[in-house]
């Protein structure tokens, strides 16, 4: 009998040690997965060191037409929170969301916003971005109430900075200007500051412009008197360079924040975008 008790105690200790061991390997932090770079950056801003964060689309990867691997799917089903933007930006994420186990909190950050269903680039409006950050903050605070104070503090501080940048945009004299772009990603930015977007490529960036489309835009630029055409530096600058050359204007960078080769945060990128807009429009 004594032998059996000793054996069982040893077994129990082994089990306890194994589970303690696995906990040491596990950070114990909230495990968060995001769909693409903008969502990754928002989650990083809100979560800081309190979360373990992974982005699904690899650095430099194309966010619109991404297909997750079986390994991605398996990892996703084990996380605590999965964040995506929605409104047609990541169709794969919308498909996967319904198949994930109930233990995964799924956050579609554009939900409830006033959106144009044909334009997924919701986060390029600072107002929208603030709501998306709020949605992330609520999800983290609910899933990890111990650190809720930290999440709320970081969110409030960041939103204050975004409000200041929003004021700068409003005072930059952008209203009434035509914004000539290669990738039609800036509909929400234009809506917020009274600009009108003229895009060479479709909203999803699928089709290359035809020579006649390019010639039409060159004419429009000349008539409008704009000083530049804008392109996303994370994509190709070929089309913008050709149009700029033909129209005798500048080709300027305007980041979509779908990815960022320098790992900059949203505030930095939106500030850089404003400086480029001033060069091309004012
Ligand atoms: Zn895009």
């Amino acid at each position: 009998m004594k032998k059996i008790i000793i054996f069982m105690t040893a077994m129990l200790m082994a089990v306890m040690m194994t589970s303690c061991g696995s906990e040491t390997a596990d950070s114990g932090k909230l495990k968060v997965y995001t769909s693409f770079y903008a969502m990754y950056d928002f989650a990083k801003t809100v979560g800081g060191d309190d979360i373990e964060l992974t982005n699904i689309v690899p650095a430099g990867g194309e966010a619109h037409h991404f297909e997750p691997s079986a390994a991605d799917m398996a990892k996703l089903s084990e996380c605590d929170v999965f964040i995506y933007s929605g409104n047609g930006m990541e169709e794969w994420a919308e498909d996967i969301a319904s198949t994930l186990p109930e233990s995964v909190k799924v956050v579609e950050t554009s939900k409830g916003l006033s959106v144009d269903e044909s334009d997924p680039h919701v986060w390029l409006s600072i107002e929208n971005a603030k709501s998306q950050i709020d949605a992330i903050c609520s999800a983290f605070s609910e899933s990890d109430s111990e650190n809720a104070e930290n999440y709320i503090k970081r969110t409030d501080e960041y939103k204050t900075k975004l409000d200041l940048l929003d004021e700068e945009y409003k005072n930059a004299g952008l209203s009434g200007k035509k914004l000539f772009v290669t990738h039609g990603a800036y509909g929400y930015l234009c809506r917020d500051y009274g600009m009108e977007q003229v895009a060479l490529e479709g909203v999803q960036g699928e089709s290359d412009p035809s020579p006649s489309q390019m010639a039409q835009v060159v004419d429009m630029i000349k008539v409008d008197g704009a000083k530049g055409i804008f392109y996303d530096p994370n994509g190709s600058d070929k089309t913008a360079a050709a149009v700029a050359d033909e129209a005798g204007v500048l080709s300027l960078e305007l980041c979509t924040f779908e990815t960022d080769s320098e790992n900059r945060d949203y505030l930095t990128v939106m500030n850089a975008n404003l400086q480029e807009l001033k060069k091309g429009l004012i």
Side-chain angles (χ1 to χ4, degrees), residues 30-215:
L30 195 69
K31 273 194 201 63
V32 180
Y33 271 69
T34 53
S35 55
F36 71 102
Y37 189 73
M39 297 303 108
Y40 172 81
D41 175 68
F42 290 170
K44 193 165 118 186
T45 294
V46 175
D49 286 338
D50 294 316
I51 60 167
E52 198 182 300
L53 181 59
T54 310
N55 196 30
I56 295 272
V57 176
E62 213 281 320
H64 283 292
H65 308 295
F66 178 77
E67 292 286 341
S69 66
D72 290 331
M73 299 273 292
K75 280 186 267 173
L76 257 178
S77 64
E78 284 170 11
C79 75
D80 298 310
V81 184
F82 171 50
I83 294 162
Y84 72 105
S85 188
N87 197 42
M89 181 60 198
E90 323 92 326
E91 276 167 24
W92 59 271
E94 285 164 39
D95 294 341
I96 285 171
S98 57
T99 68
L100 291 172
E102 270 182 37
S103 55
V104 180
K105 187 190 275 291
V106 177
V107 189
E108 180 186 359
T109 57
S110 68
K111 207 173 176 184
L113 289 173
S114 158
V115 292
D116 169 355
E117 278 176 18
S118 65
D119 184 356
H121 306 89
V122 174
W123 65 94
L124 286 169
S125 150
I126 293 177
E127 269 313 301
N128 286 350
K130 280 166 57 188
S131 298
Q132 293 185 284
I133 288 168
D134 270 337
I136 293 169
C137 179
S138 299
F140 288 180
S141 302
E142 276 170 32
S143 298
D144 177 24
S145 54
E146 261 181 46
N147 290 309
E149 229 174 87
N150 294 345
Y151 300 134
I152 292 165
K153 185 168 179 277
R154 288 190 203 105
T155 299
D156 287 346
E157 282 172 3
Y158 205 71
K159 278 166 63 188
T160 304
K161 289 180 192 165
L162 288 177
D163 280 337
L164 291 173
L165 184 60
D166 182 42
E167 277 305 304
E168 274 188 58
Y169 266 89
K170 282 179 181 149
N171 296 326
L174 302 172
S175 185
K177 305 283 184 184
K178 274 201 177 77
L179 180 67
F180 293 92
V181 294
T182 52
H183 179 42
Y186 311 93
Y188 298 98
L189 186 77
C190 288
R191 180 194 70 184
D192 282 3
Y193 306 114
M195 296 179 284
E196 187 194 330
Q197 174 172 258
V198 183
L200 265 164
E201 292 167 2
V203 168
Q204 301 273 4
E206 287 152 343
S207 51
D208 281 336
S210 66
S212 74
Q213 270 177 304
M214 283 178 66

